[in-house]
Amino acid sequence: MKERRRKETFRGKSPIGQDIQVPARYWEELAQRDPRELSRTALAEPHPPEGLLLRFVNEPYLLDVREKRVKRAKGSAWEKVNYDLLELILLVYLLGAKEEGLRNEMITVQQLKDAHFFQGPHALHIAPLVDRYGRDAEGFRNAARVLGAEPLYLADAACRIQALPKVPVYYLLWEGDEEFEPRVSVLFDRSVEKHLTADAIWGVVTLATDALL
């Protein structure tokens, strides 16, 4: 039973509840791109002959261009990762990242050019963090520490998660009390829209939030 589950694919859901699908053309385009160019623009690492190494939330993933699969390290070998949302985000970032570096200016989702996208079903996936850590700031700090996140001295607890090489995500938690409800805010570097589309930003936050949980 465990072996069967390992072979199943966890697709993940889009903001409107549809199964995530990874277009085959993304792998085809990746195979045609120069690994040295991608290393420069996306801060990936060539891993010949298979493809490229790319870190997500402090964990290295191998994008195997020959097999068209994402893999993670398991001992001295690589095992397949059956998670379509993660696969999609890694491909979108690799293919879309620009040479521009960080602006070192934190902005809210409302300050993004495509801020209108993040409403209704497209709202950022942060409510579960409020439920889990809204009255447990220390638990939030511990979870962030496990992920290798950088602690920030903002709010009651905060951290900087390096989701992708050019995409940090900042989480700020305010604990609830008798007077105020707990809340979580997510901030981005001003450069984020240079590298990711709005739906990809949504996906990155979804994956990073799940990692914190």
Side-chain angles (χ1 to χ4, degrees), residues 19 22 37 45 66 79 84-85 89 103 111 173 206:
D19 284 344
V22 180
E37 175 199 358
E45 181 182 340
R66 296 186 302 179
E79 67 174 0
D84 283 356
L85 179 57
I89 294 303
R103 300 274 191 88
Q111 293 174 284
L173 167 70
T206 297

Side-chain angles (χ1 to χ4, degrees), residues 2-208:
K2 290 183 179 179
E3 181 64 26
R4 182 180 66 84
R5 278 202 292 264
R6 278 199 294 268
K7 292 180 179 178
E8 290 175 349
T9 296
F10 180 33
R11 298 195 179 281
K13 297 290 184 180
S14 73
I16 59 174
Q18 296 177 333
D19 284 344
I20 296 292
Q21 300 289 338
V22 180
R25 69 178 185 277
Y26 288 176
W27 283 106
E28 294 166 3
E29 181 179 347
L30 184 62
Q32 296 170 2
R33 297 279 291 272
D34 183 349
R36 293 169 298 181
E37 175 199 358
L38 294 173
S39 298
R40 184 178 67 254
T41 57
L43 301 183
E45 181 182 340
H47 192 275
E50 296 97 337
L52 292 153
L53 285 177
L54 185 63
R55 299 189 76 86
F56 186 86
V57 188
N58 210 34
E59 183 171 359
Y61 290 92
L62 171 63
L63 284 93
D64 190 323
V65 177
R66 296 186 302 179
E67 294 187 16
K68 299 181 180 179
R69 297 300 300 261
V70 173
K71 301 177 180 179
R72 65 159 56 94
K74 184 178 183 181
S76 59
W78 294 91
E79 67 174 0
K80 296 176 182 177
V81 176
N82 296 314
Y83 193 175
D84 283 356
L85 179 57
L86 175 63
E87 179 181 339
L88 181 62
I89 294 303
L90 296 180
L91 287 168
V92 167
Y93 170 76
L94 268 177
L95 297 172
K98 305 298 187 294
E99 292 192 16
E100 180 169 342
L102 294 177
R103 300 274 191 88
N104 294 315
E105 176 187 354
M106 289 187 289
I107 62 171
T108 66
V109 67
Q110 290 81 17
Q111 293 174 284
L112 296 173
K113 294 179 181 177
D114 288 329
H116 62 277
F117 174 86
F118 300 95
Q119 300 178 24
H122 301 87
L124 294 176
H125 179 60
I126 55 177
L129 291 175
V130 178
D131 295 337
R132 170 61 184 85
Y133 300 116
R135 300 184 186 278
D136 184 16
E138 186 59 29
F140 177 87
R141 294 188 195 98
N142 289 336
R145 191 178 302 118
V146 168
L147 296 180
E150 175 188 352
L152 301 176
Y153 298 98
L154 303 169
D156 292 321
C159 68
R160 177 187 190 270
I161 292 179
Q162 195 65 46
L164 290 159
K166 289 189 173 182
V167 183
V169 181
Y170 306 88
Y171 284 88
L172 281 64
L173 167 70
W174 286 269
E175 277 191 305
D177 55 26
E178 296 80 6
E179 187 175 357
F180 297 102
E181 290 295 317
R183 62 189 177 96
V184 171
S185 292
V186 175
L187 303 178
F188 305 95
D189 187 82
R190 173 70 73 177
S191 63
V192 66
E193 289 179 296
K194 293 289 184 179
H195 312 297
L196 295 175
T197 57
D199 53 351
I201 293 172
W202 178 90
V204 165
V205 173
T206 297
L207 292 169

